[in-house]
Amino acid sequence: MDNALRLKQPQTALITGASSGLGYEFSQLFAQDRYNLVLVARNEQKLSQLANDLISRFSIAVKIIVKDLSDLASPEEIFTELQQDGIAVDILVNNAGFATYGFFSEIDLPTELQMMQVNIVTLTHLTKLFLREMLKRKSGKILNIASTAAFLPGPLMAVYYATKAYVLSFSEAIANEVQGSGVTVTVLCPGPTESGFQKRAAMEQSKLVKGRKIPDAATVAKAGYRALMRNQTILVPGLANQLQTFSIRFLPRSFVRQTVRNMQKRND
C-alpha cells in the first residue's frame, strides 16, 4: 500500500470521521482531485465500502484505519502505523467530533469526557504529531472543524460549545505560529449542517434544527475545501452565519446566552 501511495500520487490526505457526514464529503473532494487517502473512523464496514468506491472511481490508493478516537492511545497508534508503512501525510483533516444535548448536570459524565477526548485531545494530539513532520518538510495543510458554536456560550450543549471554542482558538494560534513555514492551518466553523450530527446528539427536536432548512454536508465540505486550498485561516460558511458571528460581539452577553438557550430548547 505504501509503495502505491508514493508511486501514484505524492500527496496524501488523512481524514478522521471519514465514514459519514462532512468526513465522507471531504473524502469525495480529495479523491476527485486525485489525492490518496488515509480514512479513519470506527465503522470498518462503512470505511471499506467508501474506500472500495473511491478506488474504483478515481484510481487512487486508499488506506483505512479503524480506530475509536475517544481512546487516548489512538493518535500515536495512527501515526506509528503510517510511519511504519512509509506514508507521509500532506493534509490532515481533523473532522471527527460529536456532541451531547441537555442540561450539563444531567448528561452522563463518561459520554462528555469521551466527547472532550475526541473533540479536543485527539485533535490536538494528531495535530502535534503530523505538524512536526510537515514543518520538517516545509509543506503541508491542516483543516480543523470547529463550529459557529465556537463563538457562543451554549446552554443545553455547554461542553460541546466549549470544545469548539477551544478548536477555534487553538487553530488560530498555531496558524499564526507557522506563518512562512510552508504549512498552513485552516479552521472551518459551519452552522447547523445536515450530516447525521443532530441524530447522534439526540437534538433533532431542538428549535435550532427542527423544521429549518439547513445546508447539506456536501455544500459545507466544498466551502471548507476551497478555504483550505487558498490557505484561509478561518471560514464561517453562509451569510447568515457570518452575520451572526459578527453581530454577537456587539450584544450583551446575557442576551446572547438567553438567545442561544431559547434556540436550543426542544420544539415539541
Side-chain angles (χ1 to χ4, degrees), residues 15 17-25 27-28 37 39-55 57 62-67 195-197 199-200:
I15 303 167
S19 60
S20 62
L22 287 175
Y24 176 90
E25 299 299 339
S27 301
Q28 302 291 327
L37 299 174
L39 305 179
V40 182
R42 294 183 303 171
N43 191 314
E44 183 173 7
Q45 182 179 2
K46 286 186 176 181
L47 280 182
S48 296
Q49 290 174 347
L50 175 58
N52 291 335
D53 175 61
L54 296 176
I55 290 168
R57 288 166 56 208
V62 181
K63 177 180 178 66
I64 66 169
I65 299 179
V66 180
K67 289 289 178 188
S195 64
F197 171 89
K199 183 176 182 180
R200 181 173 183 184

Side-chain angles (χ1 to χ4, degrees), residues 3-4 58 61 65 69 75 79 95 100 116-117 127-128 133 150 153 159 179 187 199 205 207-209 220-221 259:
N3 289 332
F58 300 108
I65 299 179
L69 295 180
F79 182 75
N95 166 73
T100 54
M116 293 168 70
Q117 182 69 37
T127 300
K128 176 83 76 174
E133 296 301 307
V159 177
Q179 283 180 353
V187 56
K199 183 176 182 180
Q205 299 303 311
K207 292 180 181 179
L208 190 64
V209 295
V220 173
T259 299

Side-chain angles (χ1 to χ4, degrees), residues 197-253:
F197 171 89
Q198 292 83 12
K199 183 176 182 180
R200 181 173 183 184
M203 58 174 295
E204 295 167 296
Q205 299 303 311
S206 165
K207 292 180 181 179
L208 190 64
V209 295
K210 186 177 180 181
R212 294 182 60 193
K213 183 174 176 56
I214 58 178
D216 60 29
T219 300
V220 173
K222 286 177 184 177
Y225 187 80
R226 289 194 296 266
L228 176 71
M229 293 306 172
R230 61 176 177 258
N231 303 331
Q232 184 174 340
T233 301
I234 304 172
L235 175 67
V236 179
L239 180 59
N241 292 327
Q242 293 166 11
L243 290 173
Q244 178 197 72
T245 55
F246 177 78
S247 64
I248 59 172
R249 68 187 72 180
F250 303 109
L251 298 171
R253 293 294 284 180

Side-chain angles (χ1 to χ4, degrees), residues 54-107:
L54 296 176
I55 290 168
S56 65
R57 288 166 56 208
F58 300 108
S59 299
I60 60 171
V62 181
K63 177 180 178 66
I64 66 169
I65 299 179
V66 180
K67 289 289 178 188
D68 181 350
L69 295 180
S70 67
D71 184 342
L72 184 63
S74 61
E76 286 284 356
E77 291 171 351
I78 292 167
F79 182 75
T80 299
E81 181 173 340
L82 294 180
Q83 283 207 314
Q84 290 173 346
D85 288 349
I87 300 173
V89 171
D90 301 284
I91 298 179
L92 170 64
V93 181
N94 280 311
N95 166 73
F98 69 97
T100 54
Y101 177 77
F103 288 105
F104 171 72
S105 59
E106 298 174 358
I107 296 172

Side-chain angles (χ1 to χ4, degrees), residues 25-43:
E25 299 299 339
F26 280 123
S27 301
Q28 302 291 327
L29 293 168
F30 281 103
Q32 288 168 21
D33 281 349
R34 298 302 191 272
Y35 283 85
N36 291 309
L37 299 174
V38 178
L39 305 179
V40 182
R42 294 183 303 171
N43 191 314

